[in-house]
Amino acid sequence: MYETSPLLHFAEDTLQIAALAFMAIVYALKIRWILKFPAGKERQKPTAPPGRDGRKGALYSLAAIALPWAMASYRERPLRYVQFAVFHLAVAASILMSFLIPYAPETIASPAAVVALQAIFAAGILMGLMRLWRRLADPHVRAISTPDDYFSLALLIVWLGASIAAAPNAREVSETPLLAYFFLTAFFLVYVPFSKISHYIYYPFSRYYLGKTLGRRGAYPLANPAAMLKPES
Amino acid sequence: MARERSWRAQKVIERLEQKVNRQVLLSLAACVHCGMCTEQCHYVLANPDDPTYAPAYKADKLRKLFKAHIDWTGRAFPWWVGARSVYTDEELEDLKDTVFGKCTNCRRCSFNCPMGVDMATFNRLARGLLVHVGIMPEGVATVAKDQWEIGNQMGVLKEDYLETVEWMEEELQDEFDDPNIKIPIDKKGAELVYTINPREAKYDPRTIAEAAAIFHFAGENWTMVSEGWDMTNFGLFNGDDELGGACARRVYDAARTIGAKRIVISECGHGYRSTRCEGPNWSKTDLPDIEMESSIITMLRYIKEGRIQVDKSKNSIPVTYHDSCNMARSCGMTEEPRELLRLVCSDFREMYPNRQQNFCCTGGGGAMSMAEYAPRRLKSAKIKAEQLRATGAKIVITSCHNCVDGLTDLIKHYQLDMEVKQLVDMVYNALVVPKPAPKVEVPVAVAPGEIPAKALAGYKVLVIDDEPDVRTYLRVIFKDKGAEVLEAPDANQGWRQIRDQKPDLVTLDLVMPHKTGEKLYWELRKDEKYKNLPIVIITGYGKTDKPTVRFHEFIAEKGIPEPNAFLEKPIDPDKVIETAIQVLGTRIPSDQIQ
């Protein structure tokens, strides 16, 4: 039976736990920082018609990312939603894999599971490259892009590439792909709280507050967003 | 060596640190620079090759400052995340050009931002920072000064205002040959205080007279006030919360002095938002005893309660409706104006996109007071002009005075064959006067108690309702008046009965299991054979829902006409019969719908 080298053991276990702990601490500090700022209060009486209120507005707002037809931006450019969804799915799959390989390798040991994961990662890379190309080629997006925007995207594309190589978990053949994957994962975990990738920490807050306000005033949830954009055929 | 910073730049930074609250912080921090907001802005659509118009680019002007001074990653690694401070007055002038001259705070980008970034809110904050150090377009400074000093944003003197109101009162008395028509001023004990936009007093006093006529014929106990009559609020546009609070407080104080229970806000998008929604926050005022509503709601209520009568055939020219940004996106008022329009206009055409997805008139956010940006504004109105032209309407209705001016300007610029009106114009024009105020649901000449015994003899009435008790009750009522009554416990059976039995009149419940009444109504109205079949909706209130509101939203979305009548449970038998007589009296004969 193959015995994992101390370096790989360190990379997939101790290093990951340390990186995760670091990320958790920075996130906790970040949330504490957000909560230090007072939330604006709404004194006015609710103005929403029956069936709409702040709670429903907040829930709708939080679910908005799963309602691409409700936003003209995605409705008019569905491919961008596909890019968004596939890319994020691939990142989530890779995060999951970073736990499964060291602690439950049997769950993704079958050839079918490996191929499925690799396909997701490959699709994620393709979408990531399309996003990167848009960031470079579209003057509107280029004008707002920072070094962090480029680096974060490039980092994730490279990381998804390492994920493809690591997915078979063939340590007996070579540990290099796994070492690359886990060291990259650790770097990713440490870097994320300082980068734009940490947007998912802001997402629930920003959507909650926007939805609460708009719901209280009756602007959310949108009754029939599709009908607002085009006449029904 | 630290770079020297101007006094103004220093003040802007200090004030930013004081003004950022959690909502603003999150909107500033959450942007991922995905660019999905880009094509949602009317400025971008008119300037596709200029990235400086993109919402995220404009937002980044303040975001860079936030990152440089508040955001911890920005302070640690400024270059890496695009943080940048301001040092000179020229940089502040550049910021002014963006936040005043390239954004109308319409909020359309926020509705289409995956992250929920509320750009209009922090664009307003940025305006406030600049106003605090005296950097703003000249027009903005003038209007704000007038509102601080004279009490209204157009500098209308009290004497002129009162004279205008008196003049309108005389006009009304002449027009209706009725000396009893009054426009009361400071009438103690009035139920309702009517507040207006000073543009009405200065340029468009007919809207004051029209509203007064509507109040008069509705029998309202109302008044206008000599102080605190301006419900507009430039604080919304220049980002000055202190001005916002002062303007709102004036209106609230006026209503309290009168002892009014309600403040009615004439058709003005930003005035409505400022007075009803933002004003209590800015002025730190709680108003537990005073309701506030748009005059749209007031007029709609009068019609529904039968306090005024309208004839939609008086407004037969095709009309469309432009949703004001403040009304639709910031206050959620989208269905009520449409409901009102369908009651007073016979040819209403929806504009696309509409409601919360509508494009700005381009005159919002105080843009009409910034003459230096007029060419830019008119260029950005291209998409709005295209929207308007596509409707084929001859009149565009809007419930906002800024929109009236913005649309009028762009109609002229793009040479559209259209004019702009407000709902009050249309309601006034449709008024049926003078008449005792019968209920609109039952506008019949037959008085209760005078209905002939067999008034419905020869007619076939189909009752579709899932509640057996209701069906029995309606059957007895209709049979008593001589009608042949058919029943259906659900929408599908109702459909079959309509096809097989060819009723003259259908009463339809909305809330039914399986297929709803709304669905059946839609199917009938879509069907060439049954689109004119007389239908009376008879429905009740749910515990948490109001089917009538939902129904009106539904028919508005589908673009189908109103039912012939609308009754709410509990059922009043006289009202049911009166309504049936009224509806059948104007029905299309059965042989024409077969």
Side-chain angles (χ1 to χ4, degrees):
Chain A
M1 189 182 156
Y2 180 77
E3 194 164 326
T4 302
S5 73
L7 181 63
L8 178 55
H9 186 71
F10 164 77
E12 68 182 355
D13 184 33
T14 315
L15 181 63
Q16 297 306 306
I17 292 168
L20 274 169
F22 177 79
M23 186 177 82
I25 290 166
V26 181
Y27 274 159
L29 291 171
K30 205 159 196 168
I31 291 172
R32 188 166 157 259
W33 174 71
I34 293 169
L35 297 178
K36 254 175 45 185
F37 289 82
K41 295 263 189 311
E42 299 260 28
R43 290 179 94 107
Q44 84 276 14
K45 292 177 192 170
T47 52
R52 289 179 200 165
D53 56 32
R55 194 182 66 85
K56 283 187 181 160
L59 287 173
Y60 175 84
S61 179
L62 285 164
I65 201 65
L67 311 171
W69 57 88
M71 277 187 259
S73 44
Y74 279 136
R75 208 180 159 79
E76 288 159 4
R77 288 179 169 70
L79 182 61
R80 288 197 195 153
Y81 190 76
V82 174
Q83 285 177 16
F84 153 79
V86 172
F87 186 69
H88 282 78
L89 189 70
V91 171
S94 186
I95 292 169
L96 180 67
M97 191 174 81
S98 73
F99 289 97
L100 293 178
I101 288 178
Y103 305 120
E106 66 285 356
T107 55
I108 50 168
S110 72
V114 171
V115 169
L117 278 172
Q118 287 177 321
I120 293 170
F121 299 144
I125 291 170
L126 180 65
M127 298 300 136
L129 289 170
M130 288 166 83
R131 287 157 82 92
L132 188 58
W133 171 248
R134 179 164 168 256
R135 196 166 284 286
L136 291 162
D138 182 333
H140 291 93
V141 187
R142 194 169 61 234
I144 53 176
S145 296
T146 64
D148 176 41
D149 293 324
Y150 292 111
F151 182 76
S152 296
L153 190 49
L155 172 67
L156 288 171
I157 292 168
V158 171
W159 184 55
L160 288 174
S163 304
I164 292 179
N169 191 14
R171 57 189 69 203
E172 65 284 1
V173 179
S174 170
E175 287 189 348
T176 309
L178 288 163
L179 284 168
Y181 171 68
F182 281 111
F183 275 106
L184 261 174
T185 305
F187 176 74
F188 167 72
L189 293 173
V190 171
Y191 177 68
V192 161
F194 302 101
S195 76
K196 68 170 274 185
I197 306 172
S198 62
H199 62 276
Y200 60 86
I201 284 288
Y202 296 121
Y203 179 87
F205 289 98
S206 60
R207 290 237 64 117
Y208 167 79
Y209 282 115
L210 181 72
K212 190 168 154 238
T213 302
L214 296 181
R216 187 181 170 89
R217 296 176 183 195
Y220 261 1
L222 300 180
N224 186 349
M228 294 177 189
L229 296 165
K230 261 188 200 161
E232 202 167 83
S233 55
Chain B
M1 199 178 94
R3 198 174 155 193
E4 204 174 320
R5 181 173 278 129
S6 75
W7 175 86
R8 283 193 167 102
Q10 183 59 36
K11 285 285 165 198
V12 162
I13 292 161
E14 286 168 13
R15 188 134 173 113
L16 173 68
E17 287 166 357
Q18 293 161 12
K19 296 295 281 185
V20 169
N21 65 14
R22 197 178 300 161
Q23 284 91 333
V24 170
L25 170 103
L26 288 160
S27 278
L28 287 165
C31 178
V32 289
H33 291 154
C34 67
M36 292 306 293
C37 53
T38 304
E39 292 94 351
Q40 305 312 316
C41 173
H42 54 276
Y43 282 104
V44 175
L45 296 177
N47 301 278
D49 300 325
D50 186 346
T52 67
Y53 284 101
Y57 185 91
K58 294 180 276 193
D60 261 13
K61 295 251 177 177
L62 185 67
R63 187 171 286 120
K64 285 173 185 295
L65 197 55
F66 159 80
K67 285 190 172 175
H69 294 277
I70 297 175
D71 181 63
W72 50 319
T73 41
R75 281 185 292 169
F77 317 105
W79 171 79
W80 191 246
V81 296
R84 194 167 64 224
S85 188
V86 285
Y87 294 91
T88 66
D89 289 359
E90 287 71 35
E91 286 171 312
L92 295 180
E93 286 290 335
D94 180 53
L95 182 61
K96 178 195 89 174
D97 185 71
T98 297
V99 300
F100 284 102
K102 291 184 176 177
C103 176
T104 55
N105 285 359
C106 80
R107 232 178 192 170
R108 190 172 194 271
C109 51
S110 299
F111 273 75
N112 292 296
C113 167
M115 289 298 293
V117 171
D118 192 356
M119 286 175 241
T121 296
F122 64 76
N123 195 65
R124 177 178 177 270
L125 184 142
R127 288 181 176 196
L129 299 177
L130 295 172
V131 165
H132 186 63
V133 294
I135 294 180
M136 68 197 103
E138 200 179 328
V140 170
T142 307
V143 176
K145 184 171 172 287
D146 279 347
Q147 203 155 26
W148 270 120
E149 290 180 359
I150 303 175
N152 67 82
Q153 62 162 279
M154 288 199 173
V156 178
L157 297 175
K158 186 176 176 180
E159 300 74 35
D160 294 336
Y161 159 75
L162 292 174
E163 212 169 272
T164 305
V165 171
E166 200 181 320
W167 168 38
M168 285 301 108
E169 184 180 270
E170 287 164 10
E171 288 276 308
L172 278 178
Q173 290 172 351
D174 286 349
E175 190 170 339
F176 293 99
D177 194 22
D178 182 354
N180 294 320
I181 300 182
K182 301 281 183 201
I183 303 184
I185 294 283
D186 295 336
K187 181 180 157 194
K188 294 273 182 199
E191 291 279 314
L192 172 164
V193 164
Y194 183 57
T195 56
I196 60 167
N197 184 314
R199 182 182 170 280
E200 297 179 73
K202 195 162 182 173
Y203 300 118
D204 195 10
R206 271 307 298 175
T207 53
I208 301 174
E210 289 169 354
I214 292 165
F215 287 132
H216 172 78
F217 291 116
E220 187 60 83
N221 177 16
W222 73 292
T223 190
M224 293 181 78
V225 284
S226 57
E227 298 284 352
W229 52 270
D230 174 15
M231 51 63 183
T232 67
N233 199 320
F234 219 69
L236 182 70
F237 296 151
N238 76 354
D240 182 351
D241 289 355
E242 282 75 26
L243 175 60
C247 295
R249 206 174 295 114
R250 272 182 207 139
V251 175
Y252 305 151
D253 287 348
R256 281 179 177 138
T257 306
I258 295 297
K261 294 190 177 69
R262 196 183 295 270
I263 297 170
V264 172
I265 302 154
S266 80
E267 289 175 76
C268 173
H270 97 271
Y272 176 70
R273 178 180 168 192
S274 300
T275 307
R276 193 177 185 201
C277 298
E278 315 290 358
N281 303 323
W282 293 331
S283 65
K284 299 184 174 45
T285 305
D286 293 312
L287 296 154
D289 303 325
I290 299 179
E291 294 294 327
M292 288 186 267
E293 69 183 18
S294 161
S295 58
I296 296 168
I297 303 290
T298 318
M299 292 187 285
L300 189 57
R301 193 174 55 244
Y302 290 162
I303 295 174
K304 283 181 162 179
E305 289 177 356
R307 292 171 68 175
I308 55 171
Q309 252 195 316
V310 286
D311 175 3
K312 64 161 89 173
S313 69
K314 291 183 173 186
N315 289 320
S316 57
I317 298 171
V319 301
T320 188
Y321 182 71
H322 163 80
D323 289 277
S324 131
C325 303
N326 282 310
M327 286 280 196
R329 277 189 277 270
S330 290
C331 296
M333 190 184 286
T334 53
E335 304 315 314
E336 298 87 343
R338 287 175 170 78
E339 195 181 349
L340 184 54
L341 269 180
R342 288 179 203 280
L343 289 170
V344 298
C345 298
S346 59
D347 187 355
F348 168 60
R349 301 168 182 196
E350 198 61 87
M351 186 193 307
Y352 292 95
N354 56 50
R355 297 176 169 83
Q356 283 90 342
Q357 293 288 5
N358 188 29
F359 281 102
C360 178
C361 70
T362 68
M368 298 310 293
S369 64
M370 306 174 206
E372 62 269 53
Y373 302 129
R376 199 185 280 177
R377 169 170 60 81
L378 284 166
K379 186 179 178 192
S380 79
K382 187 167 165 272
I383 179 71
K384 189 80 243 171
E386 286 166 7
Q387 269 189 290
L388 291 171
R389 193 179 278 125
T391 65
K394 296 290 173 201
I395 299 175
V396 52
I397 313 286
T398 185
S399 47
C400 170
H401 282 277
N402 273 320
C403 296
V404 170
D405 288 338
L407 293 171
T408 304
D409 243 17
L410 79 88
I411 283 171
K412 194 173 159 197
H413 184 78
Y414 289 94
Q415 298 177 338
L416 305 180
D417 179 22
M418 280 185 128
E419 60 177 323
V420 188
K421 290 197 173 189
Q422 294 201 282
L423 280 154
V424 69
D425 301 321
M426 308 315 281
V427 174
Y428 176 79
N429 197 46
L431 267 182
V432 178
V433 287
K435 272 191 178 177
K439 300 279 183 195
V440 142
E441 300 100 309
V442 201
V444 293
V446 186
E450 294 174 6
I451 298 168
K454 296 294 173 193
L456 297 177
Y459 289 110
K460 212 185 264 184
V461 179
L462 170 61
V463 176
I464 307 176
D465 201 305
D466 62 319
E467 292 178 58
D469 291 349
V470 174
R471 291 201 305 274
T472 305
Y473 188 49
L474 286 170
R475 185 179 68 227
V476 171
I477 293 170
F478 285 124
K479 269 201 162 171
D480 192 41
K481 294 295 173 195
E484 181 187 342
V485 184
L486 310 163
E487 293 178 41
D490 61 46
N492 289 328
Q493 290 193 45
W495 238 130
R496 273 198 291 278
Q497 295 260 33
I498 290 167
R499 274 197 301 264
D500 300 343
Q501 301 293 328
K502 302 180 176 55
D504 298 296
L505 174 73
V506 173
T507 75
L508 178 61
D509 185 21
L510 293 181
V511 184
M512 291 191 287
H514 314 303
K515 187 194 279 186
T516 62
E518 284 140 343
K519 184 87 193 298
L520 177 60
Y521 181 77
W522 181 41
E523 289 171 356
L524 287 167
R525 287 300 182 239
K526 274 198 313 181
D527 193 307
E528 200 53 40
K529 265 169 97 177
Y530 301 107
K531 68 179 184 188
N532 293 319
L533 176 64
I535 298 175
V536 178
I537 303 289
I538 301 183
T539 193
Y541 291 92
K543 279 182 184 159
T544 56
D545 194 12
K546 199 172 178 188
T548 52
V549 173
R550 206 184 54 220
F551 178 73
H552 281 109
E553 285 181 358
F554 178 80
I555 60 174
E557 281 154 18
K558 298 290 182 195
I560 46 181
E562 291 273 333
N564 300 69
F566 208 102
L567 295 175
E568 287 177 347
K569 296 173 184 173
I571 298 164
D572 174 345
D574 285 342
K575 199 180 267 188
V576 170
I577 297 301
E578 287 163 10
T579 305
I581 291 169
Q582 165 70 14
V583 170
L584 288 166
T586 57
R587 78 195 167 102
I588 308 295
S590 319
D591 54 353
Q592 286 184 26
I593 61 168
Q594 286 165 32

